[in-house]
Amino acid sequence: MENRLKILRAERGWSQAELAGHLDVSRQAVNAIETGKYDPSLPLAFKIARLFDQSIEQIFLDEVPGPCSNSVNLSHPRSASHA
């Protein structure tokens, strides 16, 4: 999940270790969240939002799939003539 965590952290001049200390998580967890390799739990997302005085939606960007991803195209049913 894309997010603005690295930007918000940099605006405050915090290292990943300092942010980790504020959140009570490891530096590696902060790195994984910043790089999109790990999505935080809901309680952690709320903690991050409170720390930066922003809503979860302002920090974590919703990735809406395109209209054709993971969907079945039902507009062209199979022809019965292939039987």
Side-chain angles (χ1 to χ4, degrees), residues 56-83:
I56 290 174
E57 293 86 355
Q58 289 174 303
I59 299 171
F60 297 95
L61 312 175
D62 188 22
E63 295 176 9
V64 179
C68 295
S69 66
N70 295 328
S71 64
V72 177
N73 184 351
L74 299 176
S75 62
H76 299 291
R78 292 183 185 183
S79 171
S81 64
H82 291 284

mmCIF file of all heavy atoms in Angstrom, residues 56-83:
data_model
loop_
_atom_site.group_PDB
_atom_site.id
_atom_site.type_symbol
_atom_site.label_atom_id
_atom_site.label_comp_id
_atom_site.label_asym_id
_atom_site.label_seq_id
_atom_site.Cartn_x
_atom_site.Cartn_y
_atom_site.Cartn_z
ATOM 1 N N ILE A 56 -6.114 8.567 8.647
ATOM 2 C CA ILE A 56 -5.483 7.407 8.014
ATOM 3 C C ILE A 56 -5.480 7.581 6.501
ATOM 4 O O ILE A 56 -4.498 7.287 5.826
ATOM 5 C CB ILE A 56 -6.205 6.104 8.432
ATOM 6 C CG1 ILE A 56 -5.923 5.802 9.909
ATOM 7 C CG2 ILE A 56 -5.782 4.930 7.548
ATOM 8 C CD1 ILE A 56 -6.683 4.624 10.462
ATOM 9 N N GLU A 57 -6.591 8.094 5.965
ATOM 10 C CA GLU A 57 -6.708 8.275 4.522
ATOM 11 C C GLU A 57 -5.707 9.279 3.970
ATOM 12 O O GLU A 57 -5.333 9.207 2.794
ATOM 13 C CB GLU A 57 -8.131 8.713 4.144
ATOM 14 C CG GLU A 57 -9.188 7.667 4.393
ATOM 15 C CD GLU A 57 -9.733 7.704 5.816
ATOM 16 O OE1 GLU A 57 -9.234 8.487 6.660
ATOM 17 O OE2 GLU A 57 -10.651 6.935 6.093
ATOM 18 N N GLN A 58 -5.288 10.239 4.782
ATOM 19 C CA GLN A 58 -4.299 11.218 4.333
ATOM 20 C C GLN A 58 -2.901 10.615 4.280
ATOM 21 O O GLN A 58 -2.049 11.107 3.553
ATOM 22 C CB GLN A 58 -4.292 12.432 5.273
ATOM 23 C CG GLN A 58 -5.524 13.293 5.151
ATOM 24 C CD GLN A 58 -5.531 14.387 6.201
ATOM 25 O OE1 GLN A 58 -5.457 14.109 7.401
ATOM 26 N NE2 GLN A 58 -5.616 15.620 5.757
ATOM 27 N N ILE A 59 -2.665 9.578 5.042
ATOM 28 C CA ILE A 59 -1.337 8.956 5.110
ATOM 29 C C ILE A 59 -1.244 7.750 4.199
ATOM 30 O O ILE A 59 -0.270 7.586 3.466
ATOM 31 C CB ILE A 59 -1.005 8.564 6.565
ATOM 32 C CG1 ILE A 59 -0.983 9.821 7.443
ATOM 33 C CG2 ILE A 59 0.341 7.833 6.624
ATOM 34 C CD1 ILE A 59 -0.881 9.543 8.929
ATOM 35 N N PHE A 60 -2.261 6.902 4.236
ATOM 36 C CA PHE A 60 -2.249 5.669 3.451
ATOM 37 C C PHE A 60 -3.158 5.828 2.248
ATOM 38 O O PHE A 60 -4.345 6.092 2.386
ATOM 39 C CB PHE A 60 -2.678 4.485 4.321
ATOM 40 C CG PHE A 60 -1.728 4.259 5.452
ATOM 41 C CD1 PHE A 60 -1.972 4.796 6.705
ATOM 42 C CD2 PHE A 60 -0.555 3.544 5.256
ATOM 43 C CE1 PHE A 60 -1.085 4.614 7.751
ATOM 44 C CE2 PHE A 60 0.342 3.359 6.296
ATOM 45 C CZ PHE A 60 0.075 3.900 7.543
ATOM 46 N N LEU A 61 -2.577 5.674 1.061
ATOM 47 C CA LEU A 61 -3.296 5.915 -0.177
ATOM 48 C C LEU A 61 -3.950 4.631 -0.664
ATOM 49 O O LEU A 61 -3.292 3.609 -0.834
ATOM 50 C CB LEU A 61 -2.329 6.458 -1.230
ATOM 51 C CG LEU A 61 -1.438 7.614 -0.734
ATOM 52 C CD1 LEU A 61 -0.429 8.001 -1.783
ATOM 53 C CD2 LEU A 61 -2.278 8.792 -0.310
ATOM 54 N N ASP A 62 -5.247 4.727 -0.889
ATOM 55 C CA ASP A 62 -6.013 3.578 -1.348
ATOM 56 C C ASP A 62 -5.644 3.265 -2.795
ATOM 57 O O ASP A 62 -5.652 4.139 -3.647
ATOM 58 C CB ASP A 62 -7.510 3.889 -1.253
ATOM 59 C CG ASP A 62 -8.375 2.689 -1.533
ATOM 60 O OD1 ASP A 62 -7.882 1.559 -1.396
ATOM 61 O OD2 ASP A 62 -9.551 2.901 -1.863
ATOM 62 N N GLU A 63 -5.311 2.009 -3.048
ATOM 63 C CA GLU A 63 -4.978 1.577 -4.401
ATOM 64 C C GLU A 63 -6.209 0.912 -4.994
ATOM 65 O O GLU A 63 -6.501 -0.241 -4.731
ATOM 66 C CB GLU A 63 -3.803 0.607 -4.380
ATOM 67 C CG GLU A 63 -2.526 1.242 -3.890
ATOM 68 C CD GLU A 63 -1.395 0.241 -3.777
ATOM 69 O OE1 GLU A 63 -1.542 -0.903 -4.233
ATOM 70 O OE2 GLU A 63 -0.370 0.613 -3.216
ATOM 71 N N VAL A 64 -6.946 1.671 -5.792
ATOM 72 C CA VAL A 64 -8.160 1.150 -6.403
ATOM 73 C C VAL A 64 -7.782 0.441 -7.689
ATOM 74 O O VAL A 64 -7.146 1.029 -8.560
ATOM 75 C CB VAL A 64 -9.166 2.290 -6.696
ATOM 76 C CG1 VAL A 64 -10.411 1.740 -7.357
ATOM 77 C CG2 VAL A 64 -9.491 3.042 -5.430
ATOM 78 N N PRO A 65 -8.154 -0.842 -7.821
ATOM 79 C CA PRO A 65 -7.807 -1.563 -9.041
ATOM 80 C C PRO A 65 -8.551 -1.014 -10.244
ATOM 81 O O PRO A 65 -9.631 -0.449 -10.111
ATOM 82 C CB PRO A 65 -8.236 -2.997 -8.735
ATOM 83 C CG PRO A 65 -9.195 -2.919 -7.623
ATOM 84 C CD PRO A 65 -8.888 -1.648 -6.867
ATOM 85 N N GLY A 66 -7.952 -1.178 -11.402
ATOM 86 C CA GLY A 66 -8.566 -0.743 -12.644
ATOM 87 C C GLY A 66 -9.824 -1.549 -12.938
ATOM 88 O O GLY A 66 -10.099 -2.557 -12.304
ATOM 89 N N PRO A 67 -10.599 -1.146 -13.944
ATOM 90 C CA PRO A 67 -11.885 -1.788 -14.213
ATOM 91 C C PRO A 67 -11.768 -3.242 -14.670
ATOM 92 O O PRO A 67 -12.702 -3.995 -14.528
ATOM 93 C CB PRO A 67 -12.498 -0.924 -15.307
ATOM 94 C CG PRO A 67 -11.346 -0.209 -15.929
ATOM 95 C CD PRO A 67 -10.322 -0.047 -14.836
ATOM 96 N N CYS A 68 -10.618 -3.653 -15.191
ATOM 97 C CA CYS A 68 -10.487 -5.019 -15.713
ATOM 98 C C CYS A 68 -9.655 -5.932 -14.836
ATOM 99 O O CYS A 68 -9.564 -7.119 -15.113
ATOM 100 C CB CYS A 68 -9.867 -4.982 -17.117
ATOM 101 S SG CYS A 68 -10.936 -4.173 -18.299
ATOM 102 N N SER A 69 -9.034 -5.423 -13.806
ATOM 103 C CA SER A 69 -8.165 -6.283 -13.005
ATOM 104 C C SER A 69 -8.986 -7.225 -12.142
ATOM 105 O O SER A 69 -9.977 -6.841 -11.537
ATOM 106 C CB SER A 69 -7.235 -5.436 -12.135
ATOM 107 O OG SER A 69 -7.980 -4.729 -11.188
ATOM 108 N N ASN A 70 -8.568 -8.480 -12.130
ATOM 109 C CA ASN A 70 -9.199 -9.524 -11.323
ATOM 110 C C ASN A 70 -10.701 -9.639 -11.542
ATOM 111 O O ASN A 70 -11.448 -9.920 -10.625
ATOM 112 C CB ASN A 70 -8.921 -9.300 -9.828
ATOM 113 C CG ASN A 70 -7.457 -9.439 -9.515
ATOM 114 O OD1 ASN A 70 -6.760 -10.223 -10.151
ATOM 115 N ND2 ASN A 70 -6.991 -8.689 -8.549
ATOM 116 N N SER A 71 -11.154 -9.376 -12.739
ATOM 117 C CA SER A 71 -12.576 -9.518 -13.017
ATOM 118 C C SER A 71 -12.759 -10.407 -14.230
ATOM 119 O O SER A 71 -11.859 -10.586 -15.037
ATOM 120 C CB SER A 71 -13.220 -8.149 -13.252
ATOM 121 O OG SER A 71 -12.666 -7.550 -14.401
ATOM 122 N N VAL A 72 -13.945 -10.945 -14.351
ATOM 123 C CA VAL A 72 -14.278 -11.809 -15.474
ATOM 124 C C VAL A 72 -15.092 -11.000 -16.454
ATOM 125 O O VAL A 72 -16.029 -10.302 -16.075
ATOM 126 C CB VAL A 72 -15.088 -13.037 -14.984
ATOM 127 C CG1 VAL A 72 -15.511 -13.898 -16.155
ATOM 128 C CG2 VAL A 72 -14.287 -13.823 -13.973
ATOM 129 N N ASN A 73 -14.742 -11.084 -17.712
ATOM 130 C CA ASN A 73 -15.476 -10.364 -18.740
ATOM 131 C C ASN A 73 -16.693 -11.190 -19.127
ATOM 132 O O ASN A 73 -16.569 -12.247 -19.731
ATOM 133 C CB ASN A 73 -14.567 -10.119 -19.943
ATOM 134 C CG ASN A 73 -15.254 -9.280 -21.004
ATOM 135 O OD1 ASN A 73 -16.447 -9.018 -20.921
ATOM 136 N ND2 ASN A 73 -14.492 -8.866 -21.990
ATOM 137 N N LEU A 74 -17.860 -10.705 -18.766
ATOM 138 C CA LEU A 74 -19.096 -11.429 -19.055
ATOM 139 C C LEU A 74 -19.812 -10.889 -20.287
ATOM 140 O O LEU A 74 -20.890 -11.345 -20.618
ATOM 141 C CB LEU A 74 -20.039 -11.369 -17.841
ATOM 142 C CG LEU A 74 -19.489 -12.001 -16.570
ATOM 143 C CD1 LEU A 74 -20.480 -11.789 -15.417
ATOM 144 C CD2 LEU A 74 -19.213 -13.468 -16.754
ATOM 145 N N SER A 75 -19.224 -9.944 -20.980
ATOM 146 C CA SER A 75 -19.882 -9.337 -22.127
ATOM 147 C C SER A 75 -19.866 -10.229 -23.364
ATOM 148 O O SER A 75 -20.624 -10.017 -24.283
ATOM 149 C CB SER A 75 -19.253 -7.976 -22.458
ATOM 150 O OG SER A 75 -17.897 -8.169 -22.803
ATOM 151 N N HIS A 76 -19.004 -11.269 -23.401
ATOM 152 C CA HIS A 76 -18.932 -12.166 -24.542
ATOM 153 C C HIS A 76 -19.067 -13.609 -24.074
ATOM 154 O O HIS A 76 -18.067 -14.305 -23.891
ATOM 155 C CB HIS A 76 -17.603 -11.990 -25.297
ATOM 156 C CG HIS A 76 -17.424 -10.613 -25.837
ATOM 157 N ND1 HIS A 76 -18.182 -10.122 -26.860
ATOM 158 C CD2 HIS A 76 -16.586 -9.622 -25.477
ATOM 159 C CE1 HIS A 76 -17.811 -8.876 -27.129
ATOM 160 N NE2 HIS A 76 -16.852 -8.550 -26.295
ATOM 161 N N PRO A 77 -20.308 -14.075 -23.861
ATOM 162 C CA PRO A 77 -20.461 -15.460 -23.397
ATOM 163 C C PRO A 77 -19.967 -16.449 -24.445
ATOM 164 O O PRO A 77 -19.957 -16.153 -25.628
ATOM 165 C CB PRO A 77 -21.959 -15.582 -23.149
ATOM 166 C CG PRO A 77 -22.600 -14.466 -23.892
ATOM 167 C CD PRO A 77 -21.562 -13.394 -24.047
ATOM 168 N N ARG A 78 -19.564 -17.601 -23.996
ATOM 169 C CA ARG A 78 -19.089 -18.634 -24.912
ATOM 170 C C ARG A 78 -20.201 -19.077 -25.849
ATOM 171 O O ARG A 78 -21.343 -19.223 -25.444
ATOM 172 C CB ARG A 78 -18.561 -19.842 -24.135
ATOM 173 C CG ARG A 78 -17.323 -19.560 -23.392
ATOM 174 C CD ARG A 78 -16.855 -20.811 -22.719
ATOM 175 N NE ARG A 78 -15.694 -20.508 -21.898
ATOM 176 C CZ ARG A 78 -15.036 -21.419 -21.231
ATOM 177 N NH1 ARG A 78 -15.408 -22.672 -21.263
ATOM 178 N NH2 ARG A 78 -14.003 -21.077 -20.513
ATOM 179 N N SER A 79 -19.845 -19.317 -27.041
ATOM 180 C CA SER A 79 -20.815 -19.782 -28.024
ATOM 181 C C SER A 79 -21.088 -21.263 -27.830
ATOM 182 O O SER A 79 -20.175 -22.044 -27.574
ATOM 183 C CB SER A 79 -20.269 -19.524 -29.427
ATOM 184 O OG SER A 79 -21.088 -20.143 -30.392
ATOM 185 N N ALA A 80 -22.315 -21.675 -28.013
ATOM 186 C CA ALA A 80 -22.679 -23.078 -27.875
ATOM 187 C C ALA A 80 -22.232 -23.880 -29.079
ATOM 188 O O ALA A 80 -22.267 -25.094 -29.073
ATOM 189 C CB ALA A 80 -24.199 -23.198 -27.694
ATOM 190 N N SER A 81 -21.777 -23.224 -30.152
ATOM 191 C CA SER A 81 -21.387 -23.926 -31.363
ATOM 192 C C SER A 81 -20.058 -24.651 -31.214
ATOM 193 O O SER A 81 -19.683 -25.406 -32.086
ATOM 194 C CB SER A 81 -21.312 -22.951 -32.545
ATOM 195 O OG SER A 81 -20.284 -22.007 -32.294
ATOM 196 N N HIS A 82 -19.328 -24.475 -30.108
ATOM 197 C CA HIS A 82 -18.031 -25.138 -29.884
ATOM 198 C C HIS A 82 -18.210 -26.525 -29.299
ATOM 199 O O HIS A 82 -17.258 -27.206 -29.027
ATOM 200 C CB HIS A 82 -17.143 -24.302 -28.969
ATOM 201 C CG HIS A 82 -16.674 -23.046 -29.603
ATOM 202 N ND1 HIS A 82 -15.680 -23.025 -30.530
ATOM 203 C CD2 HIS A 82 -17.091 -21.772 -29.467
ATOM 204 C CE1 HIS A 82 -15.479 -21.768 -30.927
ATOM 205 N NE2 HIS A 82 -16.337 -21.001 -30.294
ATOM 206 N N ALA A 83 -19.456 -26.968 -29.097
ATOM 207 C CA ALA A 83 -19.706 -28.261 -28.457
ATOM 208 C C ALA A 83 -19.489 -29.421 -29.381
ATOM 209 O O ALA A 83 -19.467 -29.399 -30.525
ATOM 210 C CB ALA A 83 -21.121 -28.294 -27.915
#
